Amino acid sequence: MSDSRPSILVTGAAGGLASILVDLLTDDYRLVGVDPRSMPAGRNFPGVFHQVDYNHRKMAEIFRRNRFHAMIHLGRIRSSDDAPKAVRFQTNVVGTRHLLDLGLKHGVKNLIVFSTFHVYGAQNHNAMHIRETEPLRASQMFPELVDAVELDYTATTFMWQYRETRTCILRPVNVVGSRIRNAITQILRADICPTVMGYDPMLQFIHEEDIARALLLCLRGDKSGIYNVAGEGAIPYSKAIELAGSTAVPVPQPLISAALDIWNRLRPTPFPKHLVNYFKYPVVVSDEAFRRDFGYEPRVTTTNAVKSIKRGRE
Amino acid sequence: MTVLKLLRDKLLEVGLSEDAARRIENAPLKLNSAGFDPWGLQPEYAKVVVAAVEWLYRHYFRVETAGTGHIPQGRVLIIANHGGQVPVDGMLLGLSLLLDTQPPRIGRAMVERWSPTIPFVGTFFSRIGQVVGDPQNARDLLNNDECVLVFPEGTRGSGKLFPSRYQLQRFGTGFVRLALETKTPIVPAAIIGCEEMYPGIYHIEALAKLLKTPYFPVTPFFPLLGPLGMLPLPTKVTIRFGEPLRFEGDPDGADADIQRMVNQVKDALKREIDVGLRLRGSAIFNKAAK
């Protein structure tokens, strides 16, 4: 049983994005998936899957037994997931550093870390096309996002400490598609969407297949760095609601907090309160650098990307 | 919702001239699949706004322009005087670039950083292509060959009282550094008539502080006449574009060097203002100025 294909470790392997990515990788690479969650019923991982915590000592054994060519670190507990802060910190921040250190120790030459555009923070004075050099302001305003920002910083610190290892930190915009279940897709899948009355920021979306292709381009490229990754164009939240086939319910600003409390009690899909500002002020990023360094070009228009969300309705 | 839609359609039918509609459609814009440009501008929305104000531009303020031929194609910084408490001057300047300039341009004003915090206002600005005043935004716009409007006096200009009308206040210097960095020609634009439409005679500082606005003006009509006092006086407006100024030098040069260039722009603008005022005569009742 000799397999000459280079092997790749994919974290967050039980997630929706991983399932799309591994389909693109499986022909050329031998895949090992890890995730603290179990693999959803009915899904087959095209390789070896381990249900394991990123900080568990079993992780080291996985690195020892496989000589990984690359690690794609998708696994992050999102702020919208129902997990205590301490658990999120342990998995996202401590876990990420642990995985990167294992990668270094075992000579993994390509490390790709999946961050998020949320790290920039939603503020009224944001520039319209945020570059990667912008300070990360999210943790200062939204304590719920501290671990997301620290994950990003942990990875960038690692990148500067070990220049001989190729490390890329990707900050994608809202990832959407029929197979994705994150905060934004769940919000837009509902038949009604709360909006803050009088605010209609521009939002960016990237289709699940475009982000998977972007990860592949990043894997095959040779540059280290921090990169925003976006889709075709930005559209207002109201337009996204319309394209997703939902109906906007404007709530006056002073009532939004109370309204979301009620909403989150009554609806199956929560609207994370700490993300409200992301629906008031634009956090639009420029992915100029990623396009230049990796030849990336989105194939799915923003219109079609957002329309694809509703196909994932249950 | 349908009532709003009916109102909008009626407004478009009554207010929007065919020429204005064509000009919006022909303006150089890079639209995405959903019909928005990278700054949030939506031509369909802009049409509604123009429909609502074109009559004011043509028949209330009777705007006349001179020197639109001086506006170069491609990237340009338009530097204008600011006055009259309420930034009607920005709106009229934007309309003159769209309606009276060949080819039509979308003027991108750099709006206050706090404006997005006011409900509806931020969205309104964004849909008509106005951009938050961040240096990175200005740089991106110019590198994208857009037409950027700057009022270097800022609220120092718009807030000055009636006796100081047309006296240029201190200019910020950022715009010259930006022009040097992006190799952008600067066109001075003198706006005559806007500094009398709200003749501010006093500022109530306590109210401004309370409302968190830069100033709270009192005019002979406001707040005395209530909402009626908010109507601008029907002054005759002329907008004069001067010859483009092109500077070369180090965008990171010493303040003194940059200040010299700023003064050149200020002098050129002052000259256009003086010519405009001389040609105009009375602020409200007058014949055309050429």
Side-chain angles (χ1 to χ4, degrees), chain B residues 52-241:
Chain B
V53 292
E54 196 184 349
W55 181 85
L56 285 176
Y57 178 84
R58 297 212 190 277
H59 303 291
Y60 192 81
F61 297 118
R62 299 150 287 155
V63 179
E64 278 192 33
T65 54
T68 54
H70 287 145
I71 301 167
Q73 296 208 22
R75 65 187 65 177
V76 57
L77 261 173
I78 308 247
I79 303 296
N81 56 311
H82 211 15
Q85 318 301 331
V86 182
V88 178
D89 43 9
M91 177 186 93
L92 297 180
L93 178 59
L95 283 171
S96 74
L97 290 163
L98 180 69
L99 301 176
D100 285 329
T101 304
Q102 209 51 262
R105 298 297 295 264
I106 302 284
R108 313 280 192 159
M110 301 272 102
V111 301
E112 288 287 350
R113 281 160 168 252
W114 48 263
S115 59
T117 61
I118 316 167
F120 302 102
V121 171
T123 308
F124 170 76
F125 279 151
S126 169
R127 294 299 167 275
I128 57 171
Q130 310 306 294
V131 177
V132 171
D134 180 276
Q136 183 62 50
N137 281 342
R139 204 172 291 128
D140 285 346
L141 282 166
L142 292 172
N143 285 330
N144 208 16
D145 287 332
E146 301 275 353
C147 169
V148 174
L149 317 183
V150 177
F151 297 91
E153 296 169 274
T155 50
R156 290 186 295 276
S158 58
K160 64 187 185 284
L161 298 176
F162 190 69
S164 324
R165 61 192 183 281
Y166 302 112
Q167 293 169 20
L168 291 177
Q169 305 297 302
R170 182 172 66 74
F171 271 33
T173 54
F175 75 93
V176 165
R177 294 189 189 276
L178 200 65
L180 290 172
E181 187 188 328
T182 56
K183 301 196 179 358
T184 303
I186 292 176
V187 171
I191 307 175
I192 313 291
C194 288
E195 307 212 5
E196 291 96 348
M197 59 181 60
Y198 292 103
I201 47 175
Y202 186 68
H203 282 164
I204 307 178
E205 276 174 36
L207 261 179
K209 221 175 217 173
L210 189 74
L211 299 172
K212 291 184 182 149
T213 56
Y215 48 83
F216 187 92
V218 176
T219 74
F221 318 103
F222 181 81
L224 194 66
L225 300 183
L228 199 64
M230 286 180 171
L231 271 183
L233 294 176
T235 52
K236 159 95 187 163
V237 173
T238 357
I239 301 176
R240 301 183 58 85
F241 297 95

Side-chain angles (χ1 to χ4, degrees), chain A residues 154-229:
Chain A
T154 300
T156 34
T157 308
F158 180 91
M159 177 183 81
W160 294 117
Q161 281 170 330
Y162 305 105
R163 301 307 309 271
E164 65 281 9
T165 300
R166 181 176 160 250
T167 311
C168 284
I169 294 102
L170 304 186
R171 296 176 183 158
V173 299
N174 293 301
V175 177
V176 296
S178 60
R179 285 170 281 183
I180 304 288
R181 301 205 180 291
N182 54 14
I184 187 76
T185 53
Q186 297 296 61
I187 288 168
L188 290 173
R189 261 178 209 131
D191 42 0
I192 50 174
C193 290
T195 71
V196 188
M197 193 183 278
Y199 298 89
D200 196 13
M202 302 299 281
L203 304 180
Q204 284 167 300
F205 298 92
I206 183 167
H207 189 254
E208 53 192 15
E209 282 166 16
D210 274 332
I211 189 68
R213 268 194 294 268
L215 282 162
L216 191 65
L217 284 171
C218 186
L219 175 68
R220 294 186 173 159
D222 54 8
K223 290 249 180 11
S224 280
I226 308 163
Y227 295 99
N228 296 329
V229 188

